[in-house]
Amino acid sequence: MEVTLLMAMTVDGKIAKNPDHFPDWTGPDDKKFFAERTRQAGVVIMGARTFQTLKKPLPDRLNVVMTRDDSRTSSWNNVVFTTDPPRRILTWLESLGYREVILAGGAIINSLFAAEGLIDRLIVTVSPKVFGSGISLFNGQVSMALALEGVKIIGQDVVVLSYRVVGHPKI
């Protein structure tokens, strides 16, 4: 099971201004890229706060929402709320036939997967914005060694950086 962390971030490395910041700051090229990659994988894993900012599920793919609230249920057929840890979620998704999952944040969920060494690839789209302060890609200390796989410009102003995780050195 390949786990790809796919996130948009600002030039100064922020994924949002605050936990409730709606992701409307990225441009249409980034949104199109995100939609294509997540549809290709067929499944997106995110935290409850990230899901809450979206207001509705991402169509045409399974939305797996990690939550601490085990009473949450979904009225959508493509949304699953789970309190399971990352490894158990991946085992379940693999049993359903998925070969790749997109990890779409936020920082806490990204960090949970990173702490267990479960992220295989990072793809970040760098948008021409600066927030100055806000939420980083990860929450807390994370250590990964990366190998650059590719750099691509989409649209006029967005750079896509693709990295393969090659190790998890001690911090």
Side-chain angles (χ1 to χ4, degrees):
M1 171 71 71
E2 172 112 334
V3 177
T4 300
L5 173 60
L6 176 60
M7 301 289 293
M9 68 181 194
T10 61
V11 171
D12 59 341
K14 304 303 177 193
I15 62 171
K17 289 181 181 179
N18 59 61
D20 299 315
H21 186 197
F22 185 74
D24 61 352
W25 55 271
T26 65
D29 298 313
D30 174 70
K31 287 178 180 22
K32 180 180 176 191
F33 179 78
F34 181 85
E36 288 171 357
R37 278 299 279 119
T38 55
R39 282 190 176 106
Q40 178 184 1
V43 61
V44 179
I45 300 172
M46 67 188 89
R49 295 286 302 253
T50 299
F51 182 73
Q52 184 178 325
T53 64
L54 297 177
K55 309 279 191 241
K56 61 182 181 179
L58 299 168
D60 306 321
R61 61 219 108 157
L62 179 61
N63 294 245
V64 177
V65 182
M66 295 179 70
T67 179
R68 291 184 207 124
D69 181 356
D70 62 1
S71 69
R72 287 192 80 174
T73 58
S74 173
S75 59
W76 296 286
N77 63 358
N78 68 332
V79 177
V80 174
F81 290 100
T82 181
T83 58
D84 287 344
R87 239 177 248 289
R88 188 174 300 150
I89 293 168
L90 295 176
T91 299
W92 171 68
L93 289 169
E94 196 165 32
S95 77
L96 295 177
Y98 292 101
R99 297 292 163 242
E100 179 188 20
V101 299
I102 300 295
L103 185 59
I108 293 171
I109 300 304
N110 295 346
S111 296
L112 288 173
F113 278 78
E116 292 192 39
L118 297 174
I119 298 172
D120 301 298
R121 176 179 285 146
L122 269 80
I123 300 175
V124 292
T125 56
V126 182
S127 293
K129 304 274 186 204
V130 173
F131 292 162
S133 63
I135 299 174
S136 297
L137 197 57
F138 296 99
N139 181 12
Q141 292 191 352
V142 171
S143 182
M144 283 186 226
L146 307 173
L148 184 65
E149 290 187 318
V151 178
K152 180 168 66 169
I153 297 173
I154 57 175
Q156 276 186 299
D157 301 317
V158 178
V159 177
V160 179
L161 303 172
S162 300
Y163 294 96
R164 165 93 27 218
V165 177
V166 294
H168 298 275
K170 299 291 181 208
I171 298 174

